[in-house]
Every structure is written in C-alpha cells, then in structure tokens.
Amino acid sequence: MCEGIHAGRGVALVATFVAALAAGGCSISFPLGSLLGDDDVTATSSVTSAPSPLSPELTAEDWRRAKAALEVALDPFGNGSSASWDNPETGAKGAFLPLGQPYVKDGDVCRAFLADLTLQVGSQALQGTACRPSGGGWSILEVKPWRKSV
C-alpha cells in the first residue's frame, strides 16, 4: 500500500517538474545580436528612419508640431479649414488643408489633404491621404509632390 502512495507522489513530482520546465522554457531569453555576425549587427544598426513621412528634412520636433496641426485639419468634426504649424528653433513651418469630406476605408476614417512645407532646403507642396482607426491617431498612408495649377 505504501508503494502506491510513493508511486503517486513520484508521478505528481514528475508532472510538477515537467510543468515547471515547460513554463520556464517560455521565459528563456538570450541576446538576439549573438545570432548575427558582427558585420550584420554593424550594417543593421546604422539604418535609421526619418521621423516624418512628409520629408526627411523634418526633425522629430518638427514632425511632432506638424502632426498636431494635421490632426486638427483632418478632424472629421472640425470646420474643414487649414491648420498651420511652425518650429522657431529650426525655422521649419507648414500648413495642412483637408480636401473633401472624410470617408471610411477598411473601418478607418480617412481624408485627403494638401500640405505646404517651408524648410531650409526650400518649399514643398504635397498631396496625401491619412487614415485614423477608431480612437487612434492619424497615420499618413500616401504622400506625393503636388503641382499647383497655373
């Protein structure tokens, strides 16, 4: 009879050990860089992305200010007028003008816009589309140069 109790404890102990080992396996971590050669790490670590989808000339602070103006201009409940921004530190400035009415695409609210940017490299006129998921912020889906009609 004692052998049955000891055998039951042994099975329970093994089951606990296996469960702990399986759960612990989910928390094992190691540096991913160790899987890459030194050359690979150097090559990928030097790649940086521009802070703004509008222009690589915009700094992160320029984009923060521009994005706030973009959100005001594209607001579906707003008055449809343009919203401007500027950064006195860099001299960059611009304005967004919503085009047409907001529309729904794949469950997101979208709106076309025109953007005028004045940067150190010169002025740029852009045309784009941005979308916003319910309760989220605006993301620019596409942007391209806009040529004003003469």
Side-chain angles (χ1 to χ4, degrees):
M1 186 117 174
C2 287
E3 287 178 17
I5 293 172
H6 290 297
R9 280 187 179 167
V11 169
L13 183 61
V14 169
T16 303
F17 177 73
V18 169
L21 185 61
C26 295
S27 64
I28 292 175
S29 65
F30 52 91
L32 194 54
S34 66
L35 295 177
L36 303 173
D38 289 338
D39 294 338
D40 293 337
V41 172
T42 303
T44 57
S45 64
S46 65
V47 176
T48 59
S49 62
S52 165
L54 294 176
S55 171
E57 303 300 322
L58 291 175
T59 67
E61 180 61 18
D62 292 337
W63 175 233
R64 186 189 70 77
R65 292 169 184 247
K67 192 169 182 178
L70 178 70
E71 296 206 8
V72 170
L74 299 185
D75 184 355
F77 301 108
N79 60 11
S81 62
S82 67
S84 60
W85 64 274
D86 72 332
N87 185 352
E89 292 179 12
T90 63
K93 61 183 177 178
F96 295 99
L97 176 66
L99 297 177
Q101 295 297 313
Y103 59 93
V104 177
K105 178 181 177 184
D106 298 328
D108 294 344
V109 175
C110 299
R111 198 165 195 181
F113 65 88
L114 293 179
D116 280 317
L117 303 177
T118 303
L119 309 171
Q120 290 182 0
V121 296
S123 295
Q124 295 179 348
L126 304 169
Q127 173 181 340
T129 303
C131 292
R132 179 182 80 180
S134 178
W138 290 95
S139 295
I140 295 177
L141 294 185
E142 64 177 343
V143 66
K144 60 185 178 182
W146 179 65
R147 298 190 190 269
K148 297 177 183 178
S149 300
V150 185

